[in-house]
Amino acid sequence: MIKIIFSLGLIFAETTQTQAPAVDLLKQNLSENITSVQTRIEGLNKNLTCRTKNDCDVLGLGHKLCGGPETFIVVSKKNPSYNALVHEAKTHRSLRREYQTKYSQGMMGTC
């Protein structure tokens, strides 16, 4: 059986064949790490105070199969957590790229 899944701008077909439990666990752990980083980013990005356009920044999140970010968020450089946000955005991009490298068979990008 094949089912089509739409997730974060990616389209892929997934067969319902049984994978080795160790691979499933690694995939699940990586997916949970991505979700955890996303949650931290959302928690850190509460202060959106910008008095001028120079106070604001746009950070790319994730990684498309064809390159570039999957999505963008607006952040304030005045936010005390700005540096942590930049770091978490880089971590998120790296984890998404790793996930795609390991588990992207059958995926098609939206580019």
Side-chain angles (χ1 to χ4, degrees):
M1 172 185 238
I2 296 176
K3 59 183 175 179
I4 304 296
I5 300 173
F6 299 91
S7 173
L8 287 174
L10 300 173
I11 304 169
F12 60 97
E14 181 180 271
T15 59
T16 56
Q17 298 172 356
T18 305
Q19 296 180 1
V23 173
D24 286 343
L25 185 58
L26 291 173
K27 185 176 179 181
Q28 179 181 345
N29 286 342
L30 186 53
S31 181
E32 288 172 358
N33 287 343
I34 292 167
T35 301
S36 176
V37 171
Q38 178 70 38
T39 300
R40 285 196 303 270
I41 289 169
E42 291 169 3
L44 291 169
N45 199 30
K46 297 293 183 191
N47 179 349
L48 296 175
T49 305
C50 295
R51 293 186 180 193
T52 69
K53 65 180 180 179
N54 293 330
D55 292 343
C56 291
D57 197 4
V58 177
L59 299 178
L61 295 180
H63 181 264
K64 286 187 174 188
L65 287 171
C66 56
E70 292 171 307
T71 191
F72 298 88
I73 60 170
V74 175
V75 298
S76 171
K77 292 179 183 178
K78 298 287 185 181
N79 184 338
S81 301
Y82 175 74
N83 290 332
L85 279 164
V86 171
H87 173 75
E88 293 294 343
K90 289 178 183 176
T91 300
H92 189 268
R93 182 171 39 255
S94 175
L95 289 171
R96 287 293 299 153
R97 184 178 296 154
E98 179 183 353
Y99 185 92
Q100 291 165 351
T101 299
K102 291 180 178 179
Y103 309 110
S104 67
Q105 290 182 353
M107 287 186 177
M108 291 186 333
T110 57
C111 305

mmCIF file of all heavy atoms in Angstrom, residues 8-59:
data_model
loop_
_atom_site.group_PDB
_atom_site.id
_atom_site.type_symbol
_atom_site.label_atom_id
_atom_site.label_comp_id
_atom_site.label_asym_id
_atom_site.label_seq_id
_atom_site.Cartn_x
_atom_site.Cartn_y
_atom_site.Cartn_z
ATOM 1 N N LEU A 8 5.266 20.019 5.710
ATOM 2 C CA LEU A 8 6.236 21.100 5.618
ATOM 3 C C LEU A 8 6.648 21.393 4.181
ATOM 4 O O LEU A 8 7.814 21.601 3.882
ATOM 5 C CB LEU A 8 7.478 20.778 6.463
ATOM 6 C CG LEU A 8 7.301 20.869 7.961
ATOM 7 C CD1 LEU A 8 8.546 20.381 8.676
ATOM 8 C CD2 LEU A 8 6.968 22.274 8.400
ATOM 9 N N GLY A 9 5.670 21.424 3.294
ATOM 10 C CA GLY A 9 5.976 21.762 1.916
ATOM 11 C C GLY A 9 6.613 20.624 1.132
ATOM 12 O O GLY A 9 7.072 20.819 0.032
ATOM 13 N N LEU A 10 6.649 19.439 1.699
ATOM 14 C CA LEU A 10 7.239 18.294 1.014
ATOM 15 C C LEU A 10 6.138 17.292 0.691
ATOM 16 O O LEU A 10 5.188 17.132 1.437
ATOM 17 C CB LEU A 10 8.283 17.600 1.893
ATOM 18 C CG LEU A 10 9.441 18.451 2.319
ATOM 19 C CD1 LEU A 10 10.295 17.671 3.314
ATOM 20 C CD2 LEU A 10 10.283 18.855 1.130
ATOM 21 N N ILE A 11 6.268 16.645 -0.418
ATOM 22 C CA ILE A 11 5.323 15.619 -0.803
ATOM 23 C C ILE A 11 6.127 14.335 -0.980
ATOM 24 O O ILE A 11 7.130 14.327 -1.673
ATOM 25 C CB ILE A 11 4.638 15.970 -2.134
ATOM 26 C CG1 ILE A 11 3.962 17.331 -2.043
ATOM 27 C CG2 ILE A 11 3.662 14.878 -2.541
ATOM 28 C CD1 ILE A 11 3.506 17.864 -3.383
ATOM 29 N N PHE A 12 5.700 13.271 -0.331
ATOM 30 C CA PHE A 12 6.393 12.019 -0.539
ATOM 31 C C PHE A 12 5.442 10.847 -0.395
ATOM 32 O O PHE A 12 4.416 10.947 0.251
ATOM 33 C CB PHE A 12 7.608 11.864 0.387
ATOM 34 C CG PHE A 12 7.292 11.887 1.850
ATOM 35 C CD1 PHE A 12 7.140 10.714 2.558
ATOM 36 C CD2 PHE A 12 7.184 13.086 2.531
ATOM 37 C CE1 PHE A 12 6.879 10.733 3.915
ATOM 38 C CE2 PHE A 12 6.907 13.105 3.889
ATOM 39 C CZ PHE A 12 6.756 11.942 4.568
ATOM 40 N N ALA A 13 5.802 9.783 -1.044
ATOM 41 C CA ALA A 13 5.030 8.546 -0.963
ATOM 42 C C ALA A 13 5.707 7.645 0.048
ATOM 43 O O ALA A 13 6.920 7.536 0.080
ATOM 44 C CB ALA A 13 4.972 7.874 -2.329
ATOM 45 N N GLU A 14 4.919 7.032 0.868
ATOM 46 C CA GLU A 14 5.471 6.152 1.889
ATOM 47 C C GLU A 14 4.850 4.776 1.720
ATOM 48 O O GLU A 14 3.637 4.635 1.693
ATOM 49 C CB GLU A 14 5.140 6.727 3.272
ATOM 50 C CG GLU A 14 5.676 5.924 4.413
ATOM 51 C CD GLU A 14 5.305 6.546 5.743
ATOM 52 O OE1 GLU A 14 6.066 7.380 6.228
ATOM 53 O OE2 GLU A 14 4.238 6.187 6.269
ATOM 54 N N THR A 15 5.680 3.774 1.596
ATOM 55 C CA THR A 15 5.165 2.420 1.517
ATOM 56 C C THR A 15 5.000 1.883 2.927
ATOM 57 O O THR A 15 5.698 2.309 3.849
ATOM 58 C CB THR A 15 6.112 1.505 0.714
ATOM 59 O OG1 THR A 15 7.378 1.500 1.345
ATOM 60 C CG2 THR A 15 6.242 1.972 -0.725
ATOM 61 N N THR A 16 4.090 0.982 3.100
ATOM 62 C CA THR A 16 3.816 0.458 4.432
ATOM 63 C C THR A 16 4.599 -0.821 4.684
ATOM 64 O O THR A 16 4.121 -1.734 5.326
ATOM 65 C CB THR A 16 2.305 0.214 4.615
ATOM 66 O OG1 THR A 16 1.864 -0.656 3.587
ATOM 67 C CG2 THR A 16 1.538 1.512 4.596
ATOM 68 N N GLN A 17 5.813 -0.873 4.212
ATOM 69 C CA GLN A 17 6.671 -2.014 4.492
ATOM 70 C C GLN A 17 7.251 -1.851 5.895
ATOM 71 O O GLN A 17 7.483 -0.743 6.359
ATOM 72 C CB GLN A 17 7.807 -2.095 3.486
ATOM 73 C CG GLN A 17 7.333 -2.290 2.062
ATOM 74 C CD GLN A 17 8.473 -2.178 1.068
ATOM 75 O OE1 GLN A 17 9.599 -1.891 1.436
ATOM 76 N NE2 GLN A 17 8.160 -2.393 -0.185
ATOM 77 N N THR A 18 7.505 -2.937 6.548
ATOM 78 C CA THR A 18 8.067 -2.897 7.890
ATOM 79 C C THR A 18 9.551 -2.567 7.810
ATOM 80 O O THR A 18 10.302 -3.219 7.094
ATOM 81 C CB THR A 18 7.865 -4.249 8.595
ATOM 82 O OG1 THR A 18 6.482 -4.569 8.575
ATOM 83 C CG2 THR A 18 8.368 -4.181 10.011
ATOM 84 N N GLN A 19 9.958 -1.521 8.543
ATOM 85 C CA GLN A 19 11.365 -1.160 8.612
ATOM 86 C C GLN A 19 11.958 -1.780 9.866
ATOM 87 O O GLN A 19 11.249 -2.150 10.797
ATOM 88 C CB GLN A 19 11.532 0.350 8.679
ATOM 89 C CG GLN A 19 11.051 1.070 7.437
ATOM 90 C CD GLN A 19 11.238 2.569 7.563
ATOM 91 O OE1 GLN A 19 11.744 3.054 8.562
ATOM 92 N NE2 GLN A 19 10.826 3.292 6.556
ATOM 93 N N ALA A 20 13.277 -1.852 9.874
ATOM 94 C CA ALA A 20 13.952 -2.367 11.054
ATOM 95 C C ALA A 20 13.644 -1.456 12.239
ATOM 96 O O ALA A 20 13.649 -0.242 12.108
ATOM 97 C CB ALA A 20 15.454 -2.426 10.803
ATOM 98 N N PRO A 21 13.363 -2.020 13.410
ATOM 99 C CA PRO A 21 13.028 -1.210 14.581
ATOM 100 C C PRO A 21 14.086 -0.162 14.921
ATOM 101 O O PRO A 21 13.754 0.937 15.330
ATOM 102 C CB PRO A 21 12.892 -2.236 15.704
ATOM 103 C CG PRO A 21 12.556 -3.512 15.014
ATOM 104 C CD PRO A 21 13.263 -3.446 13.694
ATOM 105 N N ALA A 22 15.359 -0.470 14.726
ATOM 106 C CA ALA A 22 16.424 0.484 15.051
ATOM 107 C C ALA A 22 16.324 1.715 14.150
ATOM 108 O O ALA A 22 16.490 2.847 14.604
ATOM 109 C CB ALA A 22 17.790 -0.164 14.910
ATOM 110 N N VAL A 23 16.024 1.517 12.863
ATOM 111 C CA VAL A 23 15.882 2.632 11.931
ATOM 112 C C VAL A 23 14.677 3.474 12.308
ATOM 113 O O VAL A 23 14.732 4.703 12.302
ATOM 114 C CB VAL A 23 15.771 2.120 10.474
ATOM 115 C CG1 VAL A 23 15.443 3.254 9.525
ATOM 116 C CG2 VAL A 23 17.056 1.423 10.066
ATOM 117 N N ASP A 24 13.574 2.805 12.662
ATOM 118 C CA ASP A 24 12.373 3.526 13.089
ATOM 119 C C ASP A 24 12.658 4.383 14.311
ATOM 120 O O ASP A 24 12.200 5.523 14.392
ATOM 121 C CB ASP A 24 11.243 2.550 13.419
ATOM 122 C CG ASP A 24 10.609 1.940 12.178
ATOM 123 O OD1 ASP A 24 10.798 2.488 11.081
ATOM 124 O OD2 ASP A 24 9.925 0.905 12.326
ATOM 125 N N LEU A 25 13.404 3.846 15.251
ATOM 126 C CA LEU A 25 13.723 4.571 16.478
ATOM 127 C C LEU A 25 14.612 5.782 16.183
ATOM 128 O O LEU A 25 14.389 6.867 16.718
ATOM 129 C CB LEU A 25 14.392 3.648 17.490
ATOM 130 C CG LEU A 25 14.679 4.250 18.867
ATOM 131 C CD1 LEU A 25 13.395 4.767 19.518
ATOM 132 C CD2 LEU A 25 15.343 3.226 19.763
ATOM 133 N N LEU A 26 15.606 5.606 15.320
ATOM 134 C CA LEU A 26 16.479 6.724 14.954
ATOM 135 C C LEU A 26 15.694 7.816 14.245
ATOM 136 O O LEU A 26 15.876 9.007 14.516
ATOM 137 C CB LEU A 26 17.621 6.240 14.056
ATOM 138 C CG LEU A 26 18.661 5.344 14.719
ATOM 139 C CD1 LEU A 26 19.632 4.794 13.674
ATOM 140 C CD2 LEU A 26 19.404 6.102 15.803
ATOM 141 N N LYS A 27 14.813 7.415 13.345
ATOM 142 C CA LYS A 27 13.980 8.378 12.626
ATOM 143 C C LYS A 27 13.060 9.117 13.595
ATOM 144 O O LYS A 27 12.906 10.335 13.512
ATOM 145 C CB LYS A 27 13.162 7.643 11.557
ATOM 146 C CG LYS A 27 12.353 8.547 10.667
ATOM 147 C CD LYS A 27 11.660 7.739 9.576
ATOM 148 C CE LYS A 27 10.824 8.604 8.679
ATOM 149 N NZ LYS A 27 10.140 7.825 7.631
ATOM 150 N N GLN A 28 12.473 8.402 14.523
ATOM 151 C CA GLN A 28 11.584 9.005 15.515
ATOM 152 C C GLN A 28 12.354 9.984 16.404
ATOM 153 O O GLN A 28 11.880 11.081 16.688
ATOM 154 C CB GLN A 28 10.919 7.931 16.371
ATOM 155 C CG GLN A 28 10.000 8.501 17.440
ATOM 156 C CD GLN A 28 9.375 7.422 18.301
ATOM 157 O OE1 GLN A 28 9.392 6.244 17.964
ATOM 158 N NE2 GLN A 28 8.821 7.833 19.425
ATOM 159 N N ASN A 29 13.556 9.598 16.852
ATOM 160 C CA ASN A 29 14.358 10.476 17.702
ATOM 161 C C ASN A 29 14.736 11.757 16.973
ATOM 162 O O ASN A 29 14.671 12.845 17.553
ATOM 163 C CB ASN A 29 15.623 9.760 18.183
ATOM 164 C CG ASN A 29 15.347 8.732 19.246
ATOM 165 O OD1 ASN A 29 14.305 8.746 19.880
ATOM 166 N ND2 ASN A 29 16.274 7.816 19.427
ATOM 167 N N LEU A 30 15.120 11.644 15.714
ATOM 168 C CA LEU A 30 15.476 12.821 14.930
ATOM 169 C C LEU A 30 14.258 13.719 14.737
ATOM 170 O O LEU A 30 14.346 14.945 14.891
ATOM 171 C CB LEU A 30 16.066 12.401 13.581
ATOM 172 C CG LEU A 30 16.620 13.499 12.689
ATOM 173 C CD1 LEU A 30 17.631 14.371 13.430
ATOM 174 C CD2 LEU A 30 17.264 12.889 11.454
ATOM 175 N N SER A 31 13.120 13.122 14.462
ATOM 176 C CA SER A 31 11.881 13.878 14.304
ATOM 177 C C SER A 31 11.512 14.596 15.604
ATOM 178 O O SER A 31 11.100 15.764 15.595
ATOM 179 C CB SER A 31 10.752 12.950 13.874
ATOM 180 O OG SER A 31 9.567 13.663 13.687
ATOM 181 N N GLU A 32 11.675 13.928 16.732
ATOM 182 C CA GLU A 32 11.389 14.534 18.032
ATOM 183 C C GLU A 32 12.358 15.678 18.325
ATOM 184 O O GLU A 32 11.969 16.699 18.903
ATOM 185 C CB GLU A 32 11.433 13.480 19.135
ATOM 186 C CG GLU A 32 10.254 12.536 19.094
ATOM 187 C CD GLU A 32 10.371 11.369 20.061
ATOM 188 O OE1 GLU A 32 11.394 11.250 20.772
ATOM 189 O OE2 GLU A 32 9.423 10.551 20.094
ATOM 190 N N ASN A 33 13.625 15.527 17.929
ATOM 191 C CA ASN A 33 14.595 16.611 18.111
ATOM 192 C C ASN A 33 14.199 17.837 17.301
ATOM 193 O O ASN A 33 14.305 18.973 17.777
ATOM 194 C CB ASN A 33 16.001 16.157 17.706
ATOM 195 C CG ASN A 33 16.626 15.216 18.698
ATOM 196 O OD1 ASN A 33 16.188 15.107 19.844
ATOM 197 N ND2 ASN A 33 17.649 14.500 18.271
ATOM 198 N N ILE A 34 13.733 17.626 16.070
ATOM 199 C CA ILE A 34 13.286 18.734 15.225
ATOM 200 C C ILE A 34 12.106 19.443 15.878
ATOM 201 O O ILE A 34 12.074 20.675 15.956
ATOM 202 C CB ILE A 34 12.924 18.228 13.815
ATOM 203 C CG1 ILE A 34 14.184 17.751 13.088
ATOM 204 C CG2 ILE A 34 12.213 19.318 13.011
ATOM 205 C CD1 ILE A 34 13.911 16.960 11.821
ATOM 206 N N THR A 35 11.155 18.677 16.381
ATOM 207 C CA THR A 35 9.985 19.253 17.050
ATOM 208 C C THR A 35 10.393 20.026 18.300
ATOM 209 O O THR A 35 9.873 21.104 18.582
ATOM 210 C CB THR A 35 8.976 18.149 17.403
ATOM 211 O OG1 THR A 35 8.581 17.486 16.196
ATOM 212 C CG2 THR A 35 7.760 18.712 18.110
ATOM 213 N N SER A 36 11.342 19.486 19.049
ATOM 214 C CA SER A 36 11.825 20.142 20.264
ATOM 215 C C SER A 36 12.477 21.490 19.949
ATOM 216 O O SER A 36 12.239 22.487 20.642
ATOM 217 C CB SER A 36 12.813 19.222 20.978
ATOM 218 O OG SER A 36 13.358 19.847 22.107
ATOM 219 N N VAL A 37 13.295 21.531 18.904
ATOM 220 C CA VAL A 37 13.941 22.789 18.503
ATOM 221 C C VAL A 37 12.881 23.793 18.063
ATOM 222 O O VAL A 37 12.937 24.972 18.420
ATOM 223 C CB VAL A 37 14.993 22.551 17.390
ATOM 224 C CG1 VAL A 37 15.498 23.868 16.824
ATOM 225 C CG2 VAL A 37 16.156 21.738 17.933
ATOM 226 N N GLN A 38 11.885 23.331 17.291
ATOM 227 C CA GLN A 38 10.800 24.214 16.848
ATOM 228 C C GLN A 38 10.064 24.812 18.053
ATOM 229 O O GLN A 38 9.757 26.004 18.076
ATOM 230 C CB GLN A 38 9.822 23.441 15.958
ATOM 231 C CG GLN A 38 8.636 24.263 15.484
ATOM 232 C CD GLN A 38 9.010 25.327 14.484
ATOM 233 O OE1 GLN A 38 9.862 25.107 13.641
ATOM 234 N NE2 GLN A 38 8.388 26.482 14.568
ATOM 235 N N THR A 39 9.813 23.997 19.055
ATOM 236 C CA THR A 39 9.135 24.464 20.264
ATOM 237 C C THR A 39 9.988 25.498 20.993
ATOM 238 O O THR A 39 9.467 26.519 21.482
ATOM 239 C CB THR A 39 8.822 23.272 21.188
ATOM 240 O OG1 THR A 39 7.981 22.356 20.475
ATOM 241 C CG2 THR A 39 8.137 23.717 22.461
ATOM 242 N N ARG A 40 11.301 25.265 21.075
ATOM 243 C CA ARG A 40 12.189 26.245 21.716
ATOM 244 C C ARG A 40 12.184 27.563 20.952
ATOM 245 O O ARG A 40 12.159 28.638 21.563
ATOM 246 C CB ARG A 40 13.612 25.695 21.828
ATOM 247 C CG ARG A 40 13.777 24.655 22.916
ATOM 248 C CD ARG A 40 15.225 24.393 23.285
ATOM 249 N NE ARG A 40 16.068 23.990 22.184
ATOM 250 C CZ ARG A 40 16.275 22.730 21.788
ATOM 251 N NH1 ARG A 40 15.645 21.748 22.411
ATOM 252 N NH2 ARG A 40 17.077 22.460 20.790
ATOM 253 N N ILE A 41 12.196 27.494 19.629
ATOM 254 C CA ILE A 41 12.170 28.711 18.814
ATOM 255 C C ILE A 41 10.894 29.500 19.100
ATOM 256 O O ILE A 41 10.937 30.714 19.311
ATOM 257 C CB ILE A 41 12.291 28.369 17.312
ATOM 258 C CG1 ILE A 41 13.711 27.888 17.003
ATOM 259 C CG2 ILE A 41 11.926 29.571 16.439
ATOM 260 C CD1 ILE A 41 13.887 27.283 15.621
ATOM 261 N N GLU A 42 9.766 28.818 19.124
ATOM 262 C CA GLU A 42 8.490 29.485 19.397
ATOM 263 C C GLU A 42 8.494 30.122 20.781
ATOM 264 O O GLU A 42 7.981 31.226 20.966
ATOM 265 C CB GLU A 42 7.340 28.492 19.259
ATOM 266 C CG GLU A 42 7.105 28.053 17.831
ATOM 267 C CD GLU A 42 6.158 26.867 17.702
ATOM 268 O OE1 GLU A 42 5.626 26.398 18.730
ATOM 269 O OE2 GLU A 42 5.976 26.404 16.568
ATOM 270 N N GLY A 43 9.084 29.445 21.759
ATOM 271 C CA GLY A 43 9.153 29.983 23.109
ATOM 272 C C GLY A 43 10.074 31.190 23.221
ATOM 273 O O GLY A 43 9.789 32.127 23.973
ATOM 274 N N LEU A 44 11.173 31.182 22.489
ATOM 275 C CA LEU A 44 12.124 32.299 22.531
ATOM 276 C C LEU A 44 11.650 33.513 21.752
ATOM 277 O O LEU A 44 12.064 34.638 22.028
ATOM 278 C CB LEU A 44 13.479 31.848 21.956
ATOM 279 C CG LEU A 44 14.279 30.848 22.769
ATOM 280 C CD1 LEU A 44 15.453 30.313 21.944
ATOM 281 C CD2 LEU A 44 14.784 31.491 24.053
ATOM 282 N N ASN A 45 10.775 33.308 20.787
ATOM 283 C CA ASN A 45 10.377 34.387 19.890
ATOM 284 C C ASN A 45 9.093 35.080 20.352
ATOM 285 O O ASN A 45 8.200 35.361 19.562
ATOM 286 C CB ASN A 45 10.213 33.858 18.460
ATOM 287 C CG ASN A 45 10.251 34.964 17.439
ATOM 288 O OD1 ASN A 45 10.898 35.980 17.642
ATOM 289 N ND2 ASN A 45 9.559 34.779 16.337
ATOM 290 N N LYS A 46 9.016 35.405 21.611
ATOM 291 C CA LYS A 46 7.833 36.076 22.161
ATOM 292 C C LYS A 46 7.948 37.599 22.078
ATOM 293 O O LYS A 46 6.955 38.280 21.949
ATOM 294 C CB LYS A 46 7.608 35.664 23.619
ATOM 295 C CG LYS A 46 7.314 34.196 23.802
ATOM 296 C CD LYS A 46 5.997 33.813 23.196
ATOM 297 C CE LYS A 46 5.703 32.349 23.476
ATOM 298 N NZ LYS A 46 4.591 31.852 22.720
ATOM 299 N N ASN A 47 9.169 38.111 22.161
ATOM 300 C CA ASN A 47 9.383 39.559 22.118
ATOM 301 C C ASN A 47 9.596 39.982 20.668
ATOM 302 O O ASN A 47 10.645 39.769 20.097
ATOM 303 C CB ASN A 47 10.602 39.931 22.973
ATOM 304 C CG ASN A 47 10.900 41.412 22.956
ATOM 305 O OD1 ASN A 47 10.353 42.167 22.163
ATOM 306 N ND2 ASN A 47 11.782 41.834 23.838
ATOM 307 N N LEU A 48 8.577 40.597 20.073
ATOM 308 C CA LEU A 48 8.659 41.032 18.678
ATOM 309 C C LEU A 48 8.730 42.556 18.574
ATOM 310 O O LEU A 48 8.317 43.144 17.580
ATOM 311 C CB LEU A 48 7.466 40.498 17.888
ATOM 312 C CG LEU A 48 7.394 38.979 17.773
ATOM 313 C CD1 LEU A 48 6.110 38.546 17.079
ATOM 314 C CD2 LEU A 48 8.600 38.433 17.037
ATOM 315 N N THR A 49 9.243 43.215 19.615
ATOM 316 C CA THR A 49 9.334 44.667 19.636
ATOM 317 C C THR A 49 10.358 45.175 18.627
ATOM 318 O O THR A 49 11.535 44.830 18.692
ATOM 319 C CB THR A 49 9.734 45.161 21.045
ATOM 320 O OG1 THR A 49 8.799 44.635 21.982
ATOM 321 C CG2 THR A 49 9.761 46.667 21.114
ATOM 322 N N CYS A 50 9.883 45.989 17.698
ATOM 323 C CA CYS A 50 10.753 46.615 16.707
ATOM 324 C C CYS A 50 10.342 48.083 16.591
ATOM 325 O O CYS A 50 9.218 48.381 16.212
ATOM 326 C CB CYS A 50 10.619 45.945 15.350
ATOM 327 S SG CYS A 50 11.168 44.234 15.306
ATOM 328 N N ARG A 51 11.244 48.975 16.938
ATOM 329 C CA ARG A 51 10.938 50.410 16.806
ATOM 330 C C ARG A 51 11.260 50.918 15.408
ATOM 331 O O ARG A 51 10.642 51.856 14.935
ATOM 332 C CB ARG A 51 11.692 51.200 17.847
ATOM 333 C CG ARG A 51 11.204 50.893 19.244
ATOM 334 C CD ARG A 51 11.837 51.767 20.268
ATOM 335 N NE ARG A 51 11.303 51.390 21.558
ATOM 336 C CZ ARG A 51 11.452 52.086 22.634
ATOM 337 N NH1 ARG A 51 12.139 53.194 22.599
ATOM 338 N NH2 ARG A 51 10.935 51.674 23.760
ATOM 339 N N THR A 52 12.252 50.318 14.780
ATOM 340 C CA THR A 52 12.606 50.674 13.409
ATOM 341 C C THR A 52 12.773 49.376 12.622
ATOM 342 O O THR A 52 12.879 48.291 13.204
ATOM 343 C CB THR A 52 13.930 51.466 13.330
ATOM 344 O OG1 THR A 52 15.022 50.601 13.665
ATOM 345 C CG2 THR A 52 13.922 52.675 14.258
ATOM 346 N N LYS A 53 12.846 49.499 11.297
ATOM 347 C CA LYS A 53 13.010 48.291 10.479
ATOM 348 C C LYS A 53 14.342 47.602 10.763
ATOM 349 O O LYS A 53 14.476 46.392 10.573
ATOM 350 C CB LYS A 53 12.862 48.609 9.002
ATOM 351 C CG LYS A 53 13.935 49.511 8.454
ATOM 352 C CD LYS A 53 13.721 49.783 6.980
ATOM 353 C CE LYS A 53 14.834 50.687 6.471
ATOM 354 N NZ LYS A 53 14.683 50.968 5.049
ATOM 355 N N ASN A 54 15.321 48.336 11.242
ATOM 356 C CA ASN A 54 16.624 47.747 11.560
ATOM 357 C C ASN A 54 16.590 46.884 12.818
ATOM 358 O O ASN A 54 17.513 46.123 13.066
ATOM 359 C CB ASN A 54 17.684 48.835 11.704
ATOM 360 C CG ASN A 54 17.963 49.534 10.391
ATOM 361 O OD1 ASN A 54 17.837 48.936 9.327
ATOM 362 N ND2 ASN A 54 18.324 50.804 10.458
ATOM 363 N N ASP A 55 15.529 47.046 13.612
ATOM 364 C CA ASP A 55 15.375 46.231 14.823
ATOM 365 C C ASP A 55 14.840 44.838 14.508
ATOM 366 O O ASP A 55 14.892 43.954 15.351
ATOM 367 C CB ASP A 55 14.416 46.903 15.804
ATOM 368 C CG ASP A 55 14.970 48.177 16.406
ATOM 369 O OD1 ASP A 55 16.197 48.396 16.329
ATOM 370 O OD2 ASP A 55 14.169 48.970 16.937
ATOM 371 N N CYS A 56 14.314 44.648 13.294
ATOM 372 C CA CYS A 56 13.710 43.375 12.919
ATOM 373 C C CYS A 56 14.649 42.568 12.031
ATOM 374 O O CYS A 56 15.502 43.120 11.344
ATOM 375 C CB CYS A 56 12.400 43.614 12.167
ATOM 376 S SG CYS A 56 11.110 44.287 13.226
ATOM 377 N N ASP A 57 14.470 41.271 12.069
ATOM 378 C CA ASP A 57 15.255 40.364 11.241
ATOM 379 C C ASP A 57 14.333 39.232 10.801
ATOM 380 O O ASP A 57 13.287 38.996 11.412
ATOM 381 C CB ASP A 57 16.440 39.813 12.040
ATOM 382 C CG ASP A 57 17.522 39.199 11.174
ATOM 383 O OD1 ASP A 57 17.417 39.256 9.931
ATOM 384 O OD2 ASP A 57 18.487 38.656 11.741
ATOM 385 N N VAL A 58 14.702 38.547 9.760
ATOM 386 C CA VAL A 58 13.967 37.384 9.272
ATOM 387 C C VAL A 58 14.925 36.197 9.290
ATOM 388 O O VAL A 58 16.031 36.283 8.754
ATOM 389 C CB VAL A 58 13.437 37.625 7.838
ATOM 390 C CG1 VAL A 58 12.735 36.383 7.323
ATOM 391 C CG2 VAL A 58 12.509 38.825 7.802
ATOM 392 N N LEU A 59 14.504 35.132 9.937
ATOM 393 C CA LEU A 59 15.323 33.918 10.007
ATOM 394 C C LEU A 59 14.655 32.806 9.215
ATOM 395 O O LEU A 59 13.444 32.599 9.300
ATOM 396 C CB LEU A 59 15.493 33.457 11.457
ATOM 397 C CG LEU A 59 16.177 34.412 12.430
ATOM 398 C CD1 LEU A 59 16.203 33.797 13.825
ATOM 399 C CD2 LEU A 59 17.573 34.747 11.958
#
